[in-house]
């Protein structure tokens, strides 16, 4: 009797060979993919191009730029060596719509990951716009209009005494009118807080009057520690119906706050204006500058003092007096200092 052939063994061997080959090939492809992925991750994590002086690289990403344009800009500015790597990194992460325009300061040698993270988080370069305490609104407008980091139409001087002087950090391209609105809002918030805690025995009734007096205090002394004392003197004079007799109020009536550039003339002291407190009783018609936070605090909660007078002491500060006789002696000493300086 002949032996029957064994069926299926050869087909099984072929199938098994195919299966093993497929597995080996899949493993090889997966390994290559993992190796490629690891290589790409290393590539976008490695240090990028250095700047010649090792200082941050300033790059502006324009508003409305799509991913491709941003990547090309980074390559053109030397932040990356190949725009495609940045673009691929963003697409893999799904961050195409998370990139933010603006002016950036990228550290020298920043990796693609570092660049992407900074742009995604919108950590743009901030520029200071400083409004000094006691500057009049015409000069505030000058600062805003001359700041090259701002954009938009030139602004008109705001109403005197309506903005809070300080340093405002802005992005390049911030609108001038928007920054001015921010300055007004900052003063409104501060004044609302301080007004609620004011001394109940003040010789004025409104927030506007508080700003007027604070502006006079601000212009009378550049020494922060003196502002409360000066405020106390002016509050005492107002309570007694005495004229404030403040030189800066004369100047404001002449120049609307810009520097006079010379001494005050006798005719200007004698001139009746809405601001000249040598001629009018009480407060000027409007503020004479934009007072800072310390001057506003000083007039809303002045210290207790008997002093009614003060005059320059020759060192940049003032000497105070509670009686007119004492004040006259202080004035005589100041006149002597002036004469010695002239000689």
């Amino acid at each position: 009797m002949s032996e029957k052939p064994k069926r299926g063994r050869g087909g099984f061997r072929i199938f098994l060979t195919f299966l093993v080959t497929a597995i080996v090939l899949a493993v090889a492809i997966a390994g290559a993919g993992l190796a490629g992925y690891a290589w790409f991750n290393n590539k976008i994590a490695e240090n990028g191009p250095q700047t010649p002086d090792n200082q941050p690289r300033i790059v502006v990403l324009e508003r409305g730029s799509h991913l491709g344009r941003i990547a090309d800009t980074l390559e053109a500015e030397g932040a990356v060596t190949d725009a495609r790597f940045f673009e691929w990194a963003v697409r893999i992460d799904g961050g195409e719509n998370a990139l933010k325009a603006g002016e950036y300061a990228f550290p020298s040698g920043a990796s693609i990951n570092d660049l992407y993270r900074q742009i995604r988080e919108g950590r743009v370069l901030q520029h200071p716009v400083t409004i000094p305490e006691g500057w009049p609104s015409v000069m505030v407008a000058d600062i805003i209009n001359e700041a090259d980091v701002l954009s938009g139409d030139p602004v008109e001087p705001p109403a005197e005494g309506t903005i809070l002087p300080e340093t405002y950090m802005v992005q390049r391209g911030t609108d001038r009118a928007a920054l001015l609105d921010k300055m007004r809002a900052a003063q409104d918030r501060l004044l609302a807080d301080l007004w609620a805690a004011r001394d109940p025995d003040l010789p004025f009734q409104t927030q506007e009057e508080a700003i007027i007096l604070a502006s006079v205090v601000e212009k009378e002394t550049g020494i922060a520690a003196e502002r409360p004392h000066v405020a106390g003197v002016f509050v005492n004079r107002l309570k007694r119906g005495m004229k404030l007799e403040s030189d800066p109020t004369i100047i404001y009536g002449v120049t609307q706050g810009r520097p006079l550039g010379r001494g005050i003339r006798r005719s200007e002291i004698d001139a009746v204006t809405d601001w000249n407190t040598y001629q009018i009783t009480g407060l000027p018609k409007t503020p004479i500058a934009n007072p800072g936070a310390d001057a506003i605090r000083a007039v809303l909660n002045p210290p207790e003092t008997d002093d009614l007078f003060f005059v320059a002491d020759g060192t940049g500060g003032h000497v105070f007096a509670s009686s007119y006789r004492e004040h006259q002696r202080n004035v005589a000493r100041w006149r002597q200092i002036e004469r010695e300086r002239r000689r």
Side-chain angles (χ1 to χ4, degrees):
M1 181 181 293
S2 61
E3 185 177 352
K4 295 180 179 179
K6 297 179 180 179
R7 298 178 179 177
R9 184 171 296 177
F12 177 75
R13 287 196 188 97
I14 294 172
F15 171 74
L16 184 60
T17 301
F18 173 78
L19 180 61
V20 170
T21 302
I23 291 173
V24 171
L25 182 60
V27 170
I29 293 172
L34 289 174
Y37 184 71
W39 174 85
F40 180 74
N41 277 341
N42 288 335
K43 188 68 177 176
I44 63 177
E46 67 184 16
N47 288 340
Q50 299 282 333
T51 56
D53 55 3
N54 209 35
Q55 294 299 307
R57 177 181 282 106
I58 307 301
V59 178
V60 177
L61 303 179
E62 300 292 345
R63 294 185 184 277
S65 297
H66 52 72
L67 173 57
R69 184 177 178 186
I70 290 174
D72 289 342
T73 299
L74 293 176
E75 182 178 335
E77 295 292 340
V80 298
T81 55
D82 192 327
R84 292 171 296 178
F85 287 107
F86 180 84
E87 189 169 351
W88 292 339
V90 175
R91 290 193 186 281
I92 291 171
D93 190 60
E96 296 95 325
N97 297 323
L99 304 180
K100 297 176 176 63
E103 182 184 23
Y104 289 87
F106 297 124
S108 177
S111 69
I112 288 175
N113 279 339
D114 293 334
L115 299 175
Y116 174 39
R117 189 178 303 112
Q118 188 170 345
I119 298 170
R120 184 183 61 202
E121 295 173 1
R123 288 186 274 120
V124 297
L125 190 62
Q126 299 284 323
H127 298 273
V129 177
T130 300
I131 307 298
E133 296 174 339
W135 277 39
S137 287
V138 290
M139 296 175 69
V140 171
D142 289 345
I143 292 175
I144 295 174
N145 291 332
E146 293 168 8
D148 59 5
V149 299
L150 300 177
S151 65
D153 295 332
V155 298
E156 294 295 324
E160 198 69 76
T162 57
I163 66 102
L164 183 65
E166 62 178 42
T167 295
Y168 294 85
M169 302 304 295
V170 301
Q171 300 179 25
R172 181 175 294 277
T174 295
D175 183 72
R176 289 183 170 85
L179 177 58
L180 192 55
D181 288 342
K182 183 177 181 179
M183 294 175 177
R184 291 191 187 98
Q187 194 205 70
D188 289 344
R189 288 193 301 270
L190 175 69
L191 186 55
D193 290 342
L194 297 180
W195 184 258
R198 69 189 184 281
D199 187 322
D201 190 31
L202 294 173
F204 49 83
Q205 304 299 320
T206 68
Q207 294 183 16
E208 181 181 5
E209 290 173 321
I211 293 296
I212 292 173
L213 183 56
S215 72
V216 179
V217 170
E218 188 75 72
K219 297 298 289 186
E220 277 289 358
T221 179
I223 299 178
E226 278 193 351
R227 288 180 190 131
H229 202 163
V230 171
V233 169
F234 283 146
V235 165
N236 286 345
R237 293 178 73 90
L238 288 173
K239 286 180 177 179
R240 289 164 174 76
M242 300 171 64
K243 292 182 173 69
L244 294 183
E245 297 185 349
S246 168
D247 289 358
T249 64
I250 298 174
I251 296 172
Y252 190 85
V254 176
T255 69
Q256 297 301 290
R258 292 191 185 277
L260 186 58
R262 55 171 173 76
I264 299 174
R265 296 168 180 160
R266 183 73 244 179
S267 60
E268 292 165 342
I269 297 174
D270 295 337
V272 179
T273 73
D274 290 328
W275 297 274
N276 184 355
T277 53
Y278 280 82
Q279 301 300 324
I280 62 173
T281 301
L283 295 170
K285 179 182 179 180
T286 69
I288 62 171
N290 290 279
D294 289 342
I296 298 173
R297 289 190 184 95
V299 301
L300 290 177
N301 284 281
E304 290 188 11
T305 179
D306 294 328
D307 292 332
L308 293 169
F309 309 93
F310 60 89
V311 68
D313 63 4
T315 67
H318 295 83
V319 58
F320 297 82
S322 58
S323 69
Y324 186 67
R325 178 176 296 180
E326 181 184 4
H327 177 59
Q328 286 296 93
R329 289 196 294 268
N330 293 336
V331 169
R333 282 194 290 269
W334 169 239
R335 299 301 182 211
Q336 179 62 31
I337 292 172
E338 287 184 311
R339 286 191 293 271
E340 292 173 355
R341 287 178 176 176
R342 284 195 293 270
R343 288 198 296 268

